[in-house]
Amino acid sequence: GNSALPRILHDAFDTPVRVTCLDYSPVCVEMIRSMYADLCPNMDFVLGDATRLKETLNSDKYDVIVDKGLLDALMCGEGFDSDL
């Protein structure tokens, strides 16, 4: 998609971190790649199925996995503090 979250994560630390953007939509992967590929050298863009991460990413070496869709759903819920 067009989320700013990958860029925020990419730039959030003093030392370089690798951010992998995963989506099942080729259009979304290409959109996010066009937004960040030149600006974020430690960002990867993957077309795949989040329900099959091990096969999709060919690795189990991720420290953290963030499900942006889940975050969006929680943020829309009653009682969410939007200042967080």
Side-chain angles (χ1 to χ4, degrees):
N2 58 2
S3 172
L5 183 60
R7 178 69 187 266
I8 291 167
L9 294 173
H10 182 273
D11 296 343
F13 302 93
D14 293 332
T15 58
V17 296
R18 180 153 298 282
V19 175
T20 300
C21 302
L22 168 73
D23 205 299
Y24 61 90
S25 165
V27 172
C28 289
V29 171
E30 189 50 43
M31 181 184 301
I32 203 87
R33 183 190 326 267
S34 70
M35 291 170 60
Y36 298 127
D38 293 336
L39 302 171
C40 303
N42 292 326
M43 194 174 289
D44 300 316
F45 309 92
V46 177
L47 177 65
D49 183 348
T51 65
R52 301 180 58 119
L53 286 178
K54 207 166 209 175
E55 296 88 354
T56 299
L57 299 175
N58 281 330
S59 176
D60 56 0
K61 298 181 183 189
Y62 285 83
D63 294 321
V64 176
I65 295 175
V66 178
D67 182 338
K68 172 81 171 51
L70 175 60
L71 291 176
D72 289 344
L74 292 173
M75 290 172 59
C76 292
E78 185 177 330
F80 178 78
D81 184 355
S82 61
D83 291 337
L84 291 177

